[in-house]
Amino acid sequence: MLVLSRQRDESIIIGDNIVITIVDIRGDKVRLGIEAPTEIPVHRQEVYEAIQRENAKADAEGRVVRRPVKEKSCSKSPSAEA
């Protein structure tokens, strides 16, 4: 795992088209702004895991497994919560 230190309003670039910006730091919480193409799903880990469990359950029951739906649309603004 790569560990980086950043301060408020500083960013991390992943590849050519994903930017993660530190929007705010309050106590032990950090708010991140994520800019990514709409075709790249962006989820909090617990939401992603819930989607995976639901897809596995649907698959086991013979139902159609859906593709993950984004939590919230990505915005070009680094202050958008995603």
Side-chain angles (χ1 to χ4, degrees):
M1 173 189 303
L2 174 64
V3 178
L4 302 171
S5 297
R6 300 277 70 200
Q7 294 180 3
R8 186 178 314 156
D9 297 326
E10 293 182 335
S11 298
I12 297 167
I13 311 276
I14 300 173
D16 292 328
N17 55 5
I18 300 172
V19 179
I20 300 174
T21 303
I22 306 303
V23 175
D24 195 17
I25 303 168
R26 293 183 188 167
D28 65 345
K29 292 199 179 203
V30 177
R31 290 184 60 192
L32 302 174
I34 302 170
E35 296 179 46
T38 55
E39 64 271 9
I40 297 177
V42 177
H43 300 287
R44 291 175 292 149
Q45 182 177 353
E46 63 274 15
V47 171
Y48 176 81
E49 290 170 353
I51 291 167
Q52 296 301 316
R53 283 192 305 273
E54 199 57 36
N55 284 345
K57 181 179 174 184
D59 189 41
E61 294 172 355
R63 293 186 285 134
V64 175
V65 177
R66 289 200 222 171
R67 291 175 38 132
V69 176
K70 289 188 180 182
E71 250 184 277
K72 202 172 198 184
S73 296
C74 288
S75 168
K76 294 294 178 193
S77 169
S79 62
E81 292 182 23

